[in-house]
């Protein structure tokens, strides 16, 4: 079976394993007060020199988002998200479980627009204190549909957030793929645009880990209190730090993102040549194909992938490349896609 189900189904890159082996018998302070954490923080800060950024490490994406919004929002405040946003669809209502409504709006190719933010804000101002107050804007980059925000789109979101006094929060679970998709901005720019954002390790070749980056000075105080209360402060926090040292010491974070994207584009281009419709044109490491039931039956015996949605009589499926994906596996997948398509043609004759 070929594995294209997700980008966190294997272990980690060799650089992290080597660091873990070397650090295995060292003595460390707990709760992120160790020297490895200090090194990881300084390493990340060096990638965004134009912003004074507080950095905290947590184990996964859900606890990351839950802790951020619990910390930055007052009890009556809410967060705006697309209907495909991770906090709206994949985190079991974790943000809403903290008492903060997620205001869901239709996505535009997986993205949130400045115009939609303005409309939501204005709609909630009509009844004012009788409705929740939209205070934060949540975006994923890359998005849950594999698309990426352009510089213009991010600048427009920053402008509308400034105008309406909203926090801009970016979920960077797949930020490595976004930054290596050909965009004309860097981690340093992301830090300048966002009040809070995360840098994903879990889906970028680490065993686990997300880095929470807080740039807005008003949101920095007492964050560790919320980390601890929310169960997000790992006792052996140095293990989290090692993930990010391994990803950034030799820029593996970027080379992995590029590799994943390149392999995904090979699959997407070949699928198009074979006649598979795309549910969404992806710029990163997630590929969304529309297949029929016959093709599904053939492929699922040979490839592990995810059924994303049902679309009329067809099925939307997702293939994902990871740090461990090889060119050989991509070639085999493309062969299976061709065989599934040819078998379907024979059945129709």
């Amino acid at each position: 079976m070929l594995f294209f189900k997700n980008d966190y189904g294997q272990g980690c890159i060799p650089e992290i394993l080597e660091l873990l082996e070397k650090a295995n018998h060292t003595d460390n302070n707990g709760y992120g007060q160790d020297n490895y954490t200090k090194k990881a923080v300084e390493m990340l800060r060096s990638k965004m020199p134009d912003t004074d950024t507080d950095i905290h490490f947590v184990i996964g994406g859900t606890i990351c988002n839950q802790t951020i919004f619990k910390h930055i929002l007052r009890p009556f405040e809410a967060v705006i998200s697309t209907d495909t946003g991770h906090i709206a669809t994949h985190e079991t209502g974790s943000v809403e479980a903290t008492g903060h409504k997620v205001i869901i709006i239709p996505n535009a190719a997986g993205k949130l627009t400045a115009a939609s933010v303005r409309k939501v804000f204005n709609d909630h101002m009509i009844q004012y204190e009788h409705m929740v107050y939209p205070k934060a804007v949540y975006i994923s980059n890359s998005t849950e549909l594999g698309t990426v925000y352009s510089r213009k789109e991010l600048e427009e979101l920053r402008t509308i957030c400034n105008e309406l006094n909203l926090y801009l929060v970016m979920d960077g679970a797949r930020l490595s793929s976004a930054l290596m998709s050909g965009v004309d901005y860097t981690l340093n720019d992301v830090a300048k645009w966002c009040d809070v954002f995360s840098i994903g390790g879990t889906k970028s070749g680490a065993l686990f880990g997300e880095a929470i980056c807080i740039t807005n000075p008003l949101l920095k105080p007492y964050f560790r209190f919320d980390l601890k209360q929310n169960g997000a402060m790992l006792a052996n926090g140095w293990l989290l730090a090692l993930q990010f040292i391994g990803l950034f010491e030799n820029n593996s974070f970027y080379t992995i993102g590029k590799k994943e994207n390149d392999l995904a584009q090979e699959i997407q281009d070949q699928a198009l040549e074979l006649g598979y419709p795309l549910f969404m044109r992806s710029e990163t490491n997630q590929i969304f194909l529309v297949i029929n039931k016959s093709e599904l039956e053939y492929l699922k015996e040979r490839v592990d992938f995810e059924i994303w949605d049902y679309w009329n009589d067809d099925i939307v499926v997702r293939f994902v490349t990871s740090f461990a994906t090889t060119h050989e596996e991509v070639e085999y997948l493309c062969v299976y896609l061709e065989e599934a398509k040819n078998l379907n043609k024979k059945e129709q004759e």
Side-chain angles (χ1 to χ4, degrees):
M1 289 286 286
L2 298 177
F3 187 86
F4 285 90
K5 191 167 189 178
N6 58 53
D7 42 12
Y8 47 87
Q10 298 92 4
C12 64
I13 60 174
E15 292 88 338
I16 292 174
L17 279 180
E18 291 172 11
L19 286 169
L20 288 168
E21 175 64 28
K22 290 178 182 177
N24 193 44
H25 298 291
T26 61
D27 300 319
N28 299 282
N29 290 329
Y31 303 103
Q33 301 297 309
D34 59 278
N35 289 328
Y36 291 118
T37 298
K38 291 177 184 176
K39 179 177 179 178
V41 166
E42 290 307 312
M43 194 170 289
L44 290 180
R45 282 178 175 164
S46 71
K47 305 296 182 181
M48 32 189 158
D50 294 339
T51 309
D52 181 14
T53 306
D54 280 5
I55 298 171
H56 308 268
F57 300 108
V58 297
I59 200 162
T62 298
I63 197 70
C64 172
N65 290 327
Q66 179 179 311
T67 306
I68 288 171
F69 290 112
K70 182 179 180 182
H71 178 74
I72 71 175
L73 297 180
R74 290 185 285 183
F76 55 86
E77 292 176 336
V79 52
I80 302 168
S81 168
T82 67
D83 52 4
T84 52
H86 214 263
I87 61 170
T89 60
H90 281 83
E91 298 184 2
T92 326
S94 62
V95 172
E96 293 180 320
T98 66
H100 300 290
K101 183 177 179 63
V102 178
I103 303 169
I104 299 173
I105 61 176
N107 73 89
K111 295 184 275 189
L112 196 65
T113 66
S116 64
V117 170
R118 183 186 296 279
K119 184 179 187 308
V120 168
F121 186 85
N122 290 343
D123 288 347
H124 281 72
M125 292 303 101
I126 294 173
Q127 296 191 49
Y128 202 54
E129 69 272 8
H130 296 284
M131 300 181 75
V132 291
Y133 189 94
K135 183 60 179 177
V137 173
Y138 169 90
I139 60 174
S140 303
N141 200 25
S142 59
T143 73
E144 291 76 10
L145 295 179
T147 53
V148 176
Y149 283 87
S150 67
R151 169 180 281 271
K152 182 174 182 290
E153 289 168 332
L154 290 172
E155 288 176 341
E156 288 174 349
L157 284 170
R158 181 68 265 169
T159 297
I160 194 69
C161 286
N162 287 343
E163 179 185 335
L164 302 178
N165 195 25
L166 308 178
Y167 301 132
L168 181 58
V169 179
M170 180 187 290
D171 184 330
R174 291 190 173 96
L175 190 54
S176 61
S177 290
L179 292 176
M180 298 309 295
S181 65
V183 294
D184 58 346
Y185 56 84
T186 66
L187 198 57
N188 190 43
D189 295 305
V190 171
K192 289 187 285 187
W193 290 324
C194 297
D195 295 282
V196 185
F197 67 99
S198 63
I199 302 173
T202 307
K203 296 172 181 176
S204 300
L207 288 172
F208 42 70
E210 314 293 304
I212 298 174
C213 304
I214 307 175
T215 62
N216 187 327
L218 299 176
L219 305 178
K220 294 177 180 180
Y222 309 111
F223 188 74
R224 280 177 60 83
F225 285 84
D226 271 322
L227 278 177
K228 182 64 176 179
Q229 189 180 72
N230 221 36
M233 186 181 288
L234 193 65
N236 48 354
W238 57 278
L239 290 173
L240 293 169
L242 288 175
Q243 311 299 309
F244 287 88
I245 294 172
L247 288 175
F248 280 91
E249 194 162 38
N250 295 304
N251 289 324
S252 295
F253 181 78
Y254 299 105
T255 56
I256 289 165
K258 186 176 188 309
K259 173 194 171 183
E260 291 176 345
N261 291 350
D262 288 348
L263 292 177
Q265 296 313 304
E266 286 184 32
I267 297 168
Q268 191 167 231
D269 291 343
Q270 183 64 30
L272 282 171
E273 286 187 21
L274 292 171
Y276 287 97
L278 295 181
F279 176 71
M280 184 73 60
R281 179 79 203 196
S282 172
E283 302 159 81
T284 53
N285 69 321
Q286 300 181 84
I287 309 107
F288 298 88
L289 302 184
V290 180
I291 65 176
N292 60 34
K293 292 178 182 178
S294 172
E295 292 160 350
L296 174 66
E297 291 302 315
Y298 185 83
L299 289 169
K300 73 179 185 180
E301 297 299 320
R302 296 158 177 82
V303 186
D304 197 0
F305 55 90
E306 185 172 339
I307 295 176
W308 192 259
D309 198 3
Y310 290 91
W311 197 22
N312 299 321
D313 293 329
D314 291 321
I315 306 103
V316 179
V317 297
R318 185 187 73 160
F319 300 97
V320 188
T321 57
S322 77
F323 79 93
T325 306
T326 65
H327 280 283
E328 184 180 26
E329 289 170 332
V330 168
E331 289 172 357
Y332 271 113
L333 174 60
C334 291
V335 168
Y336 290 147
L337 287 171
E338 184 174 10
E339 289 175 350
K341 182 63 71 176
N342 290 337
L343 180 63
N344 181 58
K345 289 177 181 176
K346 288 181 181 179
E347 290 177 353
Q348 292 177 343
E349 291 175 354

